[in-house]
Amino acid sequence: MGNFELKLATFWREFYANGGYNMVLEGLKNTLIIAVLGLLIGSVIGTVIAAVRVMPKYKVLPRVLNGICSVYVSFFRGTPMVVQLLVFYYVLFPLMGVNMTSVMVSVMVFGLNSGAYISEIMRGGILSVDPGQMEGGRAMGLSFSATMMKIVIPQAVKNILPTMGNEFITLIKETSIVSFVGASDLYKAFNLMGTNTYEFMVPYLAMAVVYIVMVLIITLLIRLMERRLRKSDRSM
Amino acid sequence: MIEVCNLHKSFGDLQVLKGVDLTIKQGEIVVILGPSGSGKSTLLRCLNCMEDPTAGNIYFHGVDLTDMKVDINVHRQKMCMVFQHFNLFNNKTVLENLTLAPIYVAKKKARAAKWAKLLGRPYEVADIRSNKEISDEAEARAMELLGVVDLQDKAAEYPSKLSGGQKQRVAIVRALAMNPDVMLFDEPTSALDPEMVGEVLEVMRDLAKAGMTMVIVTHEMGFAREVASRVLFIDEGVIQEEGTPDEIFNHPQNPRTQSFLSKVL
Ligand SMILES: Nc1ncnc2c1ncn2[C@@H]1O[C@H](COP(=O)(O)OP(=O)(O)O)[C@@H](O)[C@H]1O
Ligand SMILES: [Mg+2]
């Protein structure tokens, strides 16, 4: 056990005295930025796609849009996120002449990717809302999109909040891949501490702990939010 | 006001309406009777194109609603529907249920008028109003309407807190808030507990007295006899018989009408 204490001391020296915590904080910050912005972008994209996919389809435009959305969703669900990240960072964005930091590219890819997943979650949420709500809106002369935005989606969001929490947790954990394109994340921070000290056991354990603590805190926050929502419509 | 010509509607292989012709004049109260599954709801929903007719035409104020180029939303605002299951907006308060569509319409008009002004096209000066003016006016009108059905104290409640009868009264004034030219009722009392049927029929009776044009699908025969200016009996996808309440209820000619009435009266 003396060995472990030594390793712990080495880690602590690297983490505290040698300023390793700076990189951990930086990694934490990037992880949160990528996950939060990714979730926001993904929610917007996902909601739009879901709305397109439940549109009535006897006109041409909705059919075309629906086709585009299917392709989009199959691409982002059908390839690993690391691959998407690499393709966007090293191929697509350079080809398009877009110059972005690796963190911003990660935000984009996480947003695009979670948009595909959230569209499926949101579609389920929309389908779980009583069709009478859409009818009620349309019969009053509201357009499809106005009824969707004002009536159906707010109710759908309430239904899918727990699932969205899970999506957020998935995104948090997935951020551990962004060092593939050179972004400073938790993996990079702890890995560097390992490289500097030739001692990887404690840094990797510490990394696991940081992730678990983050996920636990988020889970707690989601629980609280759900409880408040449930209170507000106890009688439904 | 409404003219239906040779209306057909099929769902896949199922032919529900097989050629319905119908004219509804201003101020008329048309009651539609018929056995369950005979296509009453389908006919009503074709009137405002909630179902697209398979064939035939619907003219509303002379405009053919089946024409895909027509902006159906504009016409639906003048042809409001009241549903069996109320379909109140669950995420909105009672007041918001009444103001949502009027505010939406007024803001849209205001926006269009502002653009027209900017581009030097003709526009209605009266349409240009601030958002505050629009919502204040909508709320004032909504409170007035809630007063008519005695539900002003429920303005801030959500629909889930209301009884069925209260919900349907809100649904009726929600439609009225659009100042519609005609109101379509699809079995408005069928989902209600018996003790609540009266309060809803009362509201509809008042509407009838005020001269509202109404098309009503109902199984409340007493009510139909009392308010209808015309009664239609639908079966097998066509209008089997139509006439005054006296003609239909007291002297039905068609054997189908006779057998239907003998079952329900
Ligand atoms: N959206 C739909 N899709 C398929 N069949 C339908 C649909 N709506 C109604 N129908 C069928 O059309 C027939 C007439 O229905 P409906 O107009 O609701 O009758 P009613 O209101 O007179 O009871 C029924 O057989 C019903 O099953
Ligand atoms: Mg029906």
Side-chain angles (χ1 to χ4, degrees), chain A residues 15-175:
Chain A
F15 179 79
Y16 191 68
N18 293 351
Y21 65 88
N22 281 320
M23 271 199 77
V24 172
L25 286 181
E26 170 82 8
L28 210 53
K29 189 187 81 186
N30 285 341
T31 290
L32 287 175
I33 287 178
I34 294 168
V36 170
L37 291 184
L39 189 76
L40 287 180
I41 297 173
S43 302
V44 174
I45 296 177
T47 305
V48 172
I49 295 183
V52 167
R53 301 200 91 175
V54 298
M55 258 183 183
K57 299 209 178 40
Y58 26 76
K59 288 196 193 155
V60 179
L61 183 67
R63 281 211 202 127
V64 172
L65 289 177
N66 194 52
I68 295 173
C69 289
S70 309
V71 172
Y72 178 96
V73 172
S74 347
F75 172 76
F76 279 99
R77 299 214 318 168
T79 52
M81 181 131 61
V82 193
V83 175
Q84 294 159 19
L85 199 60
L86 293 173
V87 166
F88 273 83
Y89 188 74
Y90 290 111
V91 185
L92 281 183
F93 283 161
L95 272 181
M96 286 154 57
V98 181
N99 198 358
M100 283 202 281
T101 65
S102 48
V103 172
M104 283 332 280
V105 173
S106 305
V107 166
M108 296 295 297
V109 171
F110 272 63
L112 292 170
N113 178 286
S114 74
Y117 285 91
I118 292 175
S119 77
E120 293 289 294
I121 300 173
M122 187 59 95
R123 193 163 73 118
I126 289 173
L127 294 178
S128 75
V129 174
D130 169 17
Q133 296 290 303
M134 178 52 86
E135 293 207 327
R138 295 310 307 272
M140 303 280 297
L142 298 179
S143 65
F144 175 85
S145 53
T147 314
M148 232 1 167
M149 258 166 1
K150 289 169 199 278
I151 312 296
V152 178
I153 288 175
Q155 295 181 49
V157 166
K158 233 185 219 181
N159 295 343
I160 63 170
L161 216 60
T163 328
M164 287 294 279
N166 285 339
E167 175 66 16
F168 186 50
I169 289 171
T170 307
L171 287 182
I172 291 268
K173 290 187 294 185
E174 287 262 23
T175 54

Side-chain angles (χ1 to χ4, degrees), chain B residues 192-205:
Chain B
L192 298 178
D193 291 337
E195 76 269 22
M196 294 175 182
V197 170
E199 63 192 64
V200 170
L201 293 184
E202 190 62 43
V203 173
M204 292 173 63
R205 206 171 278 132

Side-chain angles (χ1 to χ4, degrees), chain B residues 171-195:
Chain B
I172 292 173
V173 286
R174 173 177 73 168
L176 272 179
M178 302 297 288
N179 298 317
D181 298 334
V182 51
M183 290 176 77
L184 313 175
F185 292 83
D186 192 0
E187 302 197 26
T189 57
S190 295
L192 298 178
D193 291 337
E195 76 269 22

Side-chain angles (χ1 to χ4, degrees), chain B residues 40-41 84 186-187:
Chain B
K40 306 180 295 295
S41 299
Q84 183 175 359
D186 192 0
E187 302 197 26

